[in-house]
Amino acid sequence: MVSLTAEMSPLRPDRNLALELVRATEAAAIRAVPFIGRGAKEAADGAAVDAMRAFLGTVDFDGTVIIGEGEKDNAPMLFNGERVGTGRGPKCDIAVDPIDGTSLTAAGRNNALSVIAVSDSGAMLDASSVFYMDKIVTGPAGVGVVDIRLPVKENIHRLAKALGKPVEEIVVSVLHRPRHEQLIAEIREAGAGTRLMSDGDVAGGINAARHGARTDMCIGVGGSPEGIVTTCAIKALGGHIQGRLWPRDDDEKQRGIDAGLKLDGHVYEADDMVRGNNTIFVATGVTDGALVAGVRRESDYVYTESVVLRGVSGTLRRISSEHLVSKWL
């Protein structure tokens, strides 16, 4: 049952905030359009950041950026620790990725998104001092069934049994990276198929957790910020996510230790990454993908598609919008 206290409290993120945040992801996605397929990922990201920040400044909430574009000295806007919003309304932790998939955008490939995730203040893990995280994501069938500590073959067979389908029909998403060569081989040796992603593991994780999606599991090493963002969405989908921080060298490991993070194979469960279920995840498509369609311009109109997921209510809503081009010039 949905908590009426959670729904009605003016001090917590709510459904109205969720719909307001869509305006920010729409703006970021639209502003990135001129750079799609142009090979200029920094320019695309800069345009999206500027647009998202401008719209967030109009939203009535008091947000602290836990996961942003980087540290203050290296990111002029939406840096870790920045305060966003009008300062009125609920206090929130916020994770932003104006473009999840800048390389995808620059190349004109599918699955680039503009993303914002929100939780109660103090609920979101700040894992930014360790850039990578080893993750496993499934839909509800994987809860209490798969475990990141188990061999991938065992997880595939367990999930196939829980889903009531042959192992040969299981499809696993993995980022296509040299570090995953052995993992990809093990998936295929187990009898499952792979869907190799060039980038954008937020979309990969969500698609693996969605009902009726074409993939069943998303595993491998990707960004730790993306792991936290994905967790906010998984809370609404009732799926399973676990992560282990994956420092690249001893210096990064020490930074993680100094930040109070747990390393050496420690498994972060969903509630360790984002406490509670009062989460919001919003995403607007920049380029076409399995989750949402990308921005499309026809004559005097720009069309966007977005998703809004809320942990409290366990809902996924799709929002299709038409924007007058004249209002964006």
Side-chain angles (χ1 to χ4, degrees), residues 148-168:
I148 197 170
R149 287 162 286 216
L150 297 174
V152 63
K153 179 178 180 179
E154 184 171 349
N155 277 326
I156 288 170
H157 281 259
R158 285 182 171 212
L159 185 60
K161 183 178 180 180
L163 289 170
K165 60 198 285 189
V167 169
E168 294 76 17

Side-chain angles (χ1 to χ4, degrees), residues 131-135 174-186 197-201 219-224 226 246-248:
F131 188 77
Y132 285 118
M133 177 184 285
D134 186 19
K135 291 164 277 190
V174 187
L175 281 171
H176 196 192
R177 300 287 188 272
R179 63 179 177 265
H180 289 150
E181 288 181 1
Q182 181 60 36
L183 176 61
I184 292 167
E186 290 176 7
M197 304 178 292
S198 59
D199 210 338
D201 62 335
I219 57 176
V221 176
S224 57
E226 286 81 357
W246 199 76
R248 291 167 288 185

Side-chain angles (χ1 to χ4, degrees), residues 229-269:
V229 169
T230 303
T231 300
C232 288
I234 300 305
K235 295 269 185 170
L237 296 170
H240 172 80
I241 183 169
Q242 293 172 305
R244 295 182 292 202
L245 292 170
W246 199 76
R248 291 167 288 185
D249 53 40
D250 289 341
D251 288 342
E252 188 173 49
K253 180 177 181 179
Q254 188 58 51
R255 288 197 296 274
I257 293 170
D258 292 343
L261 297 173
K262 298 178 181 179
L263 304 170
D264 298 321
H266 175 82
V267 175
Y268 280 90
E269 305 288 347

Side-chain angles (χ1 to χ4, degrees), residues 26 304-306 318-322:
E26 287 176 342
T304 59
E305 184 179 21
S306 307
R318 294 189 177 275
I319 299 175
S320 297
S321 303
E322 298 179 4

Side-chain angles (χ1 to χ4, degrees), residues 25 113-116 206 281-285 291-292 305-308:
T25 56
L113 302 170
S114 179
V115 173
I116 296 175
I206 295 171
F281 173 94
V282 299
T284 300
L291 182 62
V292 284
E305 184 179 21
S306 307
V307 290
V308 178

Side-chain angles (χ1 to χ4, degrees), residues 29-42:
I30 290 170
R31 290 301 189 194
V33 167
F35 305 98
I36 294 174
R38 305 288 180 175
K41 65 179 185 179
E42 290 84 6

Side-chain angles (χ1 to χ4, degrees), residues 24-242:
T25 56
E26 287 176 342
I30 290 170
R31 290 301 189 194
V33 167
F35 305 98
I36 294 174
R38 305 288 180 175
K41 65 179 185 179
E42 290 84 6
D45 193 48
V49 170
D50 289 347
M52 180 175 283
R53 189 174 193 271
F55 271 79
L56 284 176
T58 70
V59 178
D60 283 337
F61 78 125
D62 184 358
T64 299
V65 177
I66 303 300
I67 297 169
E69 290 290 283
E71 297 301 325
K72 184 174 182 178
D73 292 341
N74 299 317
M77 295 180 178
L78 292 173
F79 54 82
N80 299 349
E82 183 176 356
R83 300 285 287 276
V84 294
T86 63
R88 301 185 296 271
K91 291 184 179 293
C92 309
D93 286 350
I94 180 170
V96 298
D97 199 343
I99 303 181
D100 176 46
T102 52
S103 296
L104 298 175
T105 303
R109 294 177 181 153
N110 287 356
N111 290 317
L113 302 170
S114 179
V115 173
I116 296 175
V118 171
S119 69
D120 288 328
S121 180
M124 198 176 286
L125 176 70
D126 180 359
S128 58
S129 56
V130 178
F131 188 77
Y132 285 118
M133 177 184 285
D134 186 19
K135 291 164 277 190
I136 184 168
V137 185
T138 73
V143 176
V145 173
V146 303
D147 192 297
I148 197 170
R149 287 162 286 216
L150 297 174
V152 63
K153 179 178 180 179
E154 184 171 349
N155 277 326
I156 288 170
H157 281 259
R158 285 182 171 212
L159 185 60
K161 183 178 180 180
L163 289 170
K165 60 198 285 189
V167 169
E168 294 76 17
E169 293 182 10
I170 295 291
V171 180
V172 182
S173 294
V174 187
L175 281 171
H176 196 192
R177 300 287 188 272
R179 63 179 177 265
H180 289 150
E181 288 181 1
Q182 181 60 36
L183 176 61
I184 292 167
E186 290 176 7
I187 294 168
R188 292 170 176 169
E189 288 169 6
T194 56
R195 178 162 293 177
L196 302 183
M197 304 178 292
S198 59
D199 210 338
D201 62 335
V202 171
I206 295 171
N207 283 327
R210 287 172 54 217
H211 172 72
R214 295 182 180 180
T215 55
D216 305 290
M217 183 187 298
C218 184
I219 57 176
V221 176
S224 57
E226 286 81 357
I228 307 304
V229 169
T230 303
T231 300
C232 288
I234 300 305
K235 295 269 185 170
L237 296 170
H240 172 80
I241 183 169
Q242 293 172 305

